[in-house]
Amino acid sequence: MSSPPREGLSRNRDFLRLWAAQAVSALGSRVSRTALPVIAILSLGADAAALSVLSALSTAPGVLVGLFAGGLVDRSRKRPLLIGADLVRAALILSVPVAAWAGGLGMLQLCAVAALVGMATSLFQIADNAYLPALVGQDHLVAANARLEGTEAAAEIAGPGAAGILIQLLTAPVTMVADALSYLWSAALLGRIRSAEAPAPPDADAGAAGPSLLEDLRVGLRHGLGHPVVGATFLALGVQAFFSGGVFLTLYMLYLLEHLRLSPAAVGLIISAGGVGALGGSLIAGWLGRRVGAGPAMILSLAAAQGGVVLIPLAAQLGQLAVPALVVHQLVGDGFMVAFMIHAVSARQSMLPLNVLGRVNATLHVLTGALLPAGALAAGWLTGRIGVEAAVWVGVLGGLAAPLLLLRPAVWRLRAA
């Protein structure tokens, strides 16, 4: 790719097109995420077991994609992969209302759509992360990632509500058309990016026998875990995925509804505060990095995010202050987690060679994708032995180890990503 423009992001038309494409598809994907289970329940009479399979298939195949996509991304032009992933998702999503109108929609198709869309989304995310540094330049990575994360947060706030209104007014299958159109619009915007993307450089990390799955994984691990800063973030994210994402989040809804006796409406409002917190985190990330440096900002942000989770098990002892404590957790926890991710992703993008970013991103994708279900299984095992509240404490206290893994001199000394 030609050298990225030196002006700020607001004048970088190619970044603005990428940003707009992600904004549209992020909102559309939230609509689809809400509409799919509604279709399964109302149109197909799906029970809890079928819904759990549908939910698992929307994420689990992404781990499989991560095994194979890293090398493909590093050895290919990124923009065609992004456009292709958008077009595939549009076609898959559009197949649902078409089948519904034809009277041939079944649970098998919904599961296949969820799995294939999840796989295409994983490919998009891996390629997008590797594409951004060449598009905006290293000087603008933190600001660019902050804008993209802010867009995701805004979509998380507005998307589910918009989906509910659209489903109420238009029915769920018709609402799926809106998501398909969002992916087509995203592909069109990506197609208008004018910066010429250079061919991928020769792969100096490839083995003598050429690229292979094992070789790609080795390269991803060596450049990811082997880097003093990026490796620390890998380990921290792995611990966070197992304890906070796996053990804690698996029990979170059960804990709120059955242990704290909150209503579904109250839980929904509490969770929606997380989107507001995430948007705030995207706004303060750059300021925090300038004040204390990128490395200390990562440590402080992750420590604040994981520390905020302590409010969840404490809520059982707070009486009337339980709900305010849960809201504070959503604001603080989600906000600082987004700030941490902005700096962690920016550090990875700026400190690693561009021709290995795809494999490093894919390796992290596989690592966290495998630890999440492992933590979920551990949550079930722990609950059967020590109860829900104690198991939630295990998830919370285990997650507090994540920021401790960042306490390395290389991270403390990092001033700018």
Side-chain angles (χ1 to χ4, degrees), residues 336-370:
F336 280 102
M337 191 64 199
V338 165
F340 164 73
M341 289 301 299
I342 288 169
H343 285 290
V345 171
S346 299
R348 188 159 72 244
Q349 290 169 330
S350 65
M351 303 182 81
L352 296 179
L354 292 181
N355 65 336
V356 302
L357 263 181
R359 280 166 286 186
V360 172
N361 294 332
T363 300
L364 179 61
H365 200 75
V366 172
L367 175 68
T368 55

Side-chain angles (χ1 to χ4, degrees), residues 36-37 40-41 46-61 107 110-111 114-115:
L36 269 179
I41 295 168
D47 57 13
L51 289 175
S52 66
V53 171
L54 183 66
S55 177
L57 285 174
S58 66
T59 55
M107 198 65 198
L110 276 191
C111 288

Side-chain angles (χ1 to χ4, degrees), residues 151-196:
T151 301
E152 290 288 333
E156 191 65 33
I157 297 170
I165 294 171
L166 288 173
I167 290 170
Q168 185 71 29
L169 294 176
L170 304 176
T171 74
V174 176
T175 300
M176 296 287 285
V177 176
D179 188 22
L181 293 176
S182 75
Y183 287 127
L184 290 176
W185 183 240
S186 174
L189 287 169
L190 291 169
R192 294 188 60 202
I193 291 177
R194 296 290 176 256
S195 297

Side-chain angles (χ1 to χ4, degrees), residues 61-368:
V63 178
L64 181 63
V65 170
L67 288 171
F68 296 94
L72 171 67
V73 168
D74 282 336
R75 290 185 282 269
S76 307
R77 288 184 173 92
K78 315 304 184 279
R79 189 163 64 103
L81 293 176
L82 297 174
I83 294 172
D86 271 340
L87 295 177
V88 167
R89 289 187 288 183
L92 289 166
I93 292 296
L94 194 59
S95 74
V96 174
V98 169
W101 294 331
L105 182 63
M107 198 65 198
L108 181 61
Q109 180 181 348
L110 276 191
C111 288
V113 167
L116 294 172
V117 167
M119 295 171 74
T121 298
S122 294
L123 176 61
F124 186 98
Q125 291 170 344
I126 293 169
D128 178 59
N129 195 276
Y131 183 52
L132 186 66
L135 192 66
V136 304
Q138 293 189 0
D139 291 344
H140 299 297
L141 277 175
V142 172
N145 281 312
R147 294 193 186 190
L148 296 177
E149 287 289 345
T151 301
E152 290 288 333
E156 191 65 33
I157 297 170
I165 294 171
L166 288 173
I167 290 170
Q168 185 71 29
L169 294 176
L170 304 176
T171 74
V174 176
T175 300
M176 296 287 285
V177 176
D179 188 22
L181 293 176
S182 75
Y183 287 127
L184 290 176
W185 183 240
S186 174
L189 287 169
L190 291 169
R192 294 188 60 202
I193 291 177
R194 296 290 176 256
S195 297
E197 189 176 356
D203 191 356
D205 290 285
S212 67
L213 174 59
L214 290 177
E215 187 66 19
D216 286 341
L217 288 174
R218 183 190 66 81
V219 171
L221 286 170
R222 180 161 64 85
H223 285 276
L225 289 174
H227 192 282
V229 173
V230 177
T233 66
F234 265 40
L235 294 174
L237 285 169
V239 168
Q240 196 271 342
F242 182 86
F243 286 103
S244 298
V247 177
F248 167 71
L249 281 183
T250 297
L251 301 174
Y252 182 61
M253 193 66 69
L254 180 67
Y255 178 76
L256 296 186
L257 292 174
E258 296 193 1
H259 196 75
L260 297 184
R261 303 294 182 183
L262 299 179
S263 68
V267 171
L269 290 173
I270 290 167
I271 293 175
S272 68
V276 178
L279 183 59
S282 71
L283 297 175
I284 67 168
W287 172 85
L288 186 61
R290 290 188 296 272
R291 291 283 294 180
V292 301
M298 280 195 286
I299 297 170
L300 292 174
S301 296
L302 188 56
Q306 295 301 126
V309 182
V310 176
L311 289 171
I312 302 298
L314 287 179
Q317 316 301 325
L318 295 178
Q320 293 183 344
L321 294 178
V323 171
L326 297 173
V327 172
V328 170
H329 156 254
Q330 290 286 341
L331 294 171
V332 173
D334 284 25
F336 280 102
M337 191 64 199
V338 165
F340 164 73
M341 289 301 299
I342 288 169
H343 285 290
V345 171
S346 299
R348 188 159 72 244
Q349 290 169 330
S350 65
M351 303 182 81
L352 296 179
L354 292 181
N355 65 336
V356 302
L357 263 181
R359 280 166 286 186
V360 172
N361 294 332
T363 300
L364 179 61
H365 200 75
V366 172
L367 175 68
T368 55

